[in-house]
Amino acid sequence: MTGRGLVLLALAGLLLAVAPLVGDRYVVSVLTTVLWFAYVGQAWNVMMGFSGLLSLGHTLYVGLGAYVSAALFVHYGVGPWAGMVPAMLVAVAVGTFIGFLGFRFGVKGVHFSLLTIAFAEVARIGFDHIQWLGGSGGFFLPVEAGVSDPLNLRGSPLLFYYVILALVVGALALSRVLLHSRLGYQWLAVREEPEAAEAVGVDLFRARMTAVAVSSALTALGGVFQAFYFNNLFPEQVFSMGRSIEIILPAIVGGIGTLIGPILGAFILTPLGEALTFVLEESGFDLPGLKQLFYGVALVVIVVFRPEGVWPWLARRLRLVRQPGEGA
Amino acid sequence: MTALLTVSGLSKRFRGLKAVSNVSFEVPEGRILALIGPNGAGKTTTFNLIAGVFPPDEGTVTLKGVRLTGLKPNRVCAAGIGRTFQIVKPFGELTVEENVVVGALARERSVAVARSQARAVLERLELLDQAARPARSLTLPDRKRLEVARALATRPTLLLLDEVLAGLRPTEVDRMVEVLRELNRREGMTILMIEHVMRAVMALSDQVVVLDHGEKIAEGTPAEVVADPRVVESYLGAEEG
């Protein structure tokens, strides 16, 4: 990044840190949603953006993280700070199992994506029948008004806001460290040209498996947050295909494979949705499906005009990153 | 003279079609051996068998006495063989420097050290001024040189070059020949190259192996090979070198 880019990033961080002090409850709740999508988009980006593995079933890891941590809390009284570890481990176990199936048996490209959808769908239908977790009727975390217990992630919206903000910052930092590591270079090589990567010594299987492991673990953490923020889990929602797509849209709009892209994308899409709701309600034209229609049109416009994402374009225009040829 | 690479009795069939049939040859340490022959003679298949892209049906490949047969390409690279691709395969969205860094990381854990190694390799191949450009934006000659740079960065003991001169203009061919000769003379790099440009084969190689229909039909010094009537008939006569 250029000096200008770093200053802007620091400013944005500062703004987000003080936003709840100036904004009302509504602003905080919208920003929490934005940051959640930024976080999960960042996690998904590790697989698709860094390693070229298109997962279309990322709700699987969100859901596993959510259900595992919620079950531990409700049934055994284990708080989320401890529960997030098994939540991540379960997601990693399932993720690497899918990865193992895919990479050992040569399930590539689109077919790998289908595999990820299939597992998410199996989870959606399967969790409907696990009565221990509420089945299709939903699984609920106990809610007590006015309780402030950060150790169990129980408290005001403000608590959740700062937790998700910390997660976004953490995921961004981790992604940056990974991308500049030996592993990160190998991921990018595998994404670009697997055959050539293998010829320069990259173990394709290991590189892809680590990408799946990191991505699923991070995503599961997003699931833990979701469980304790919303306090209710329905397989139909948590594991839905639509949700999987919602997760990947910010990264696509912002710029796949970039560090800032998923965050910027979330800051474009969620407010866009909110603004559409507001405008349609105010204008009295709120027909069913109209919001989705406008939302879809806006998406098409962005993707058609900025196919590589908004961030790479913005960064070039505002000189936020070094351009090729400007030296390292 | 000790053999660095020994290929013996290598055979590969694709759906019954014999692509490579009982091919044997040795590449002596510090020498340049050229593999020539008409299109479809099995040259690239032989390369892929050595590099581990697929296993041979029969035969063995050994490097300094270590058996490589059946190893995956990444293990073959670790064993000391660096290769280029006939159809160049740059990591397009990465910069030229990053491409070569990936190569250097084959034997180096530190990214910083790998980067300085990569820059040294780029300098030798006269690509340093392009280091920050995305690899996809390079011209074909530069892409070919990038292929060589990336393979060299893995610090191989044997370099496999698959038609790195094809598609280059005569002046560019001369430049590349000069680079390869330097590598061989100054650093003792052993090279096995598939090449169609006979001028370069004559200028560079110590030894030539000729393949036709998957079989070895001749072997010898460049002068011997071009005088061989079978070679003239199957390759040189049929196709203008």
Side-chain angles (χ1 to χ4, degrees):
Chain A
M1 270 200 174
T2 57
R4 191 197 294 212
L6 287 173
V7 167
L8 264 178
L9 190 65
L11 263 178
L14 195 69
L15 215 61
L16 285 171
V18 301
L21 305 180
V22 283
D24 56 8
R25 278 183 73 103
Y26 171 74
V27 170
V28 171
S29 94
V30 171
L31 281 177
T32 302
T33 308
V34 168
L35 290 172
W36 188 84
F37 278 110
Y39 173 79
V40 180
Q42 189 83 265
W44 174 82
N45 200 36
V46 171
M47 258 176 85
M48 177 61 196
F50 298 170
S51 322
L53 299 167
L54 176 55
S55 165
L56 292 177
H58 243 51
T59 52
L60 175 61
Y61 309 122
V62 174
L64 288 175
Y67 270 104
V68 169
S69 60
L72 285 172
F73 185 65
V74 171
H75 291 309
Y76 305 107
V78 179
W81 299 109
M84 71 185 202
V85 177
M88 288 162 86
L89 288 178
V90 168
V92 169
V94 173
T96 49
F97 176 66
I98 298 171
F100 176 81
L101 288 181
F103 312 142
R104 262 292 173 263
F105 300 103
V107 181
K108 288 178 196 146
V110 181
H111 299 99
F112 175 76
S113 305
L114 287 178
L115 197 62
T116 62
I117 295 176
F119 271 86
E121 285 292 285
V122 167
R124 182 176 65 83
I125 296 160
F127 273 75
D128 259 350
H129 299 283
I130 304 177
Q131 292 313 319
W132 188 62
L133 296 173
S136 59
F139 192 50
F140 302 92
L141 283 80
V143 183
E144 289 172 64
V147 173
S148 179
D149 182 7
L151 286 180
N152 282 319
L153 203 53
R154 309 274 77 193
S156 67
L158 218 55
L159 170 71
F160 287 96
Y161 175 80
Y162 283 110
V163 167
I164 194 68
L165 181 60
L167 281 177
V168 169
V169 173
L172 176 64
L174 179 70
S175 293
R176 190 179 186 284
V177 167
L178 283 172
L179 205 53
H180 289 77
S181 72
R182 182 171 189 260
L183 182 61
Y185 276 95
Q186 295 186 333
W187 279 345
L188 294 176
V190 171
R191 179 191 77 188
E192 293 292 308
E193 258 323 325
E195 216 183 321
E198 208 177 13
V200 291
V202 179
D203 186 334
L204 293 184
F205 182 74
R206 232 175 76 182
R208 286 174 172 150
M209 286 295 258
T210 49
V212 172
V214 171
S215 182
S216 54
L218 288 177
T219 308
L221 220 47
V224 175
F225 179 88
Q226 183 183 322
F228 285 79
Y229 182 55
F230 289 111
N231 298 309
N232 59 69
L233 297 168
F234 298 91
E236 215 49 54
Q237 290 174 1
V238 174
F239 293 109
S240 83
M241 184 70 208
R243 192 87 175 149
S244 272
I245 291 173
E246 265 186 283
I247 287 174
I248 74 179
L249 283 179
I252 293 174
V253 165
I256 292 175
T258 64
L259 289 171
I260 305 292
I263 301 175
L264 183 66
F267 271 92
I268 294 170
L269 291 180
T270 307
L272 177 71
E274 290 294 319
L276 280 173
T277 306
F278 178 77
V279 168
L280 288 174
E281 273 174 7
E282 288 295 300
S283 63
F285 272 112
D286 198 11
L287 301 170
L290 201 58
K291 183 194 158 191
Q292 281 74 12
L293 185 70
F294 278 118
Y295 192 78
V297 169
L299 264 185
V300 168
V301 168
I302 295 172
V303 172
V304 164
F305 286 98
R306 296 283 160 251
E308 89 276 41
V310 176
W311 169 251
W313 168 78
L314 197 69
R316 262 198 316 276
R317 288 297 298 263
L318 302 180
R319 304 203 143 261
L320 303 179
V321 290
R322 275 187 203 91
Q323 298 307 308
E326 289 184 355
Chain B
M1 200 179 317
T2 54
L4 179 66
L5 179 80
T6 307
V7 172
S8 82
L10 221 50
S11 293
K12 183 73 183 178
R13 275 176 297 275
F14 292 115
R15 297 184 182 182
L17 183 84
K18 280 203 157 190
V20 173
S21 180
N22 196 25
V23 168
S24 302
F25 60 86
E26 288 187 346
V27 186
E29 191 145 17
R31 296 304 171 95
I32 299 181
L33 187 137
L35 204 55
I36 67 169
N39 290 327
K43 303 182 299 289
T44 294
T45 304
T46 303
F47 252 44
N48 285 336
L49 290 171
I50 296 170
V53 174
F54 31 66
D57 297 327
E58 287 150 43
T60 56
V61 177
T62 57
L63 185 76
K64 271 189 181 164
V66 179
R67 218 180 124 115
L68 301 183
T69 327
L71 292 186
K72 303 269 275 174
N74 57 306
R75 303 285 306 280
V76 172
C77 169
I81 294 183
R83 74 163 299 179
T84 69
F85 291 90
Q86 182 184 356
I87 297 157
V88 293
K89 292 182 187 294
F91 305 130
E93 293 297 315
L94 306 193
T95 66
V96 169
E97 181 178 301
E98 286 164 344
N99 267 262
V100 185
V101 167
V102 175
L105 285 170
R107 264 176 234 293
E108 185 53 62
R109 301 209 76 83
S110 150
V111 173
V113 175
R115 186 170 298 125
S116 69
Q117 287 174 359
R119 295 188 73 84
V121 173
L122 286 173
E123 180 156 33
R124 182 154 22 141
L125 285 162
E126 296 170 36
L127 276 172
L128 199 53
D129 52 335
Q130 318 255 32
R133 289 182 62 184
R136 64 180 145 73
S137 70
L138 294 186
T139 60
L140 182 67
D142 283 345
R143 284 180 199 214
K144 294 257 177 183
R145 278 191 288 166
L146 179 58
E147 284 279 315
V148 178
R150 193 173 58 190
L152 265 185
T154 67
R155 285 192 268 154
T157 46
L158 172 72
L159 195 55
L160 300 185
L161 303 177
D162 196 348
E163 296 200 30
V164 285
L165 303 174
L168 302 193
R169 286 192 295 270
T171 51
E172 293 155 359
V173 168
D174 291 342
R175 262 175 90 191
M176 186 67 107
V177 164
E178 209 39 58
V179 168
L180 298 178
R181 182 179 286 145
E182 275 282 292
L183 258 178
N184 176 249
R185 297 264 165 87
R186 189 122 46 95
E187 291 164 45
M189 177 68 69
T190 311
I191 299 174
L192 171 59
M193 57 194 291
I194 293 177
E195 206 39 84
H196 273 300
V197 181
M198 279 310 287
R199 191 163 58 88
V201 171
M202 300 300 287
L204 272 176
S205 54
D206 302 297
Q207 238 182 314
V208 180
V209 167
V210 189
L211 294 185
D212 189 24
H213 295 300
E215 291 176 34
K216 184 170 85 174
I217 59 164
E219 184 174 15
T221 64
E224 285 166 6
V225 163
V226 291
D228 190 315
R230 292 183 61 187
V231 177
V232 174
E233 189 199 336
S234 76
Y235 181 48
L236 299 174
E239 219 174 306
E240 203 50 54

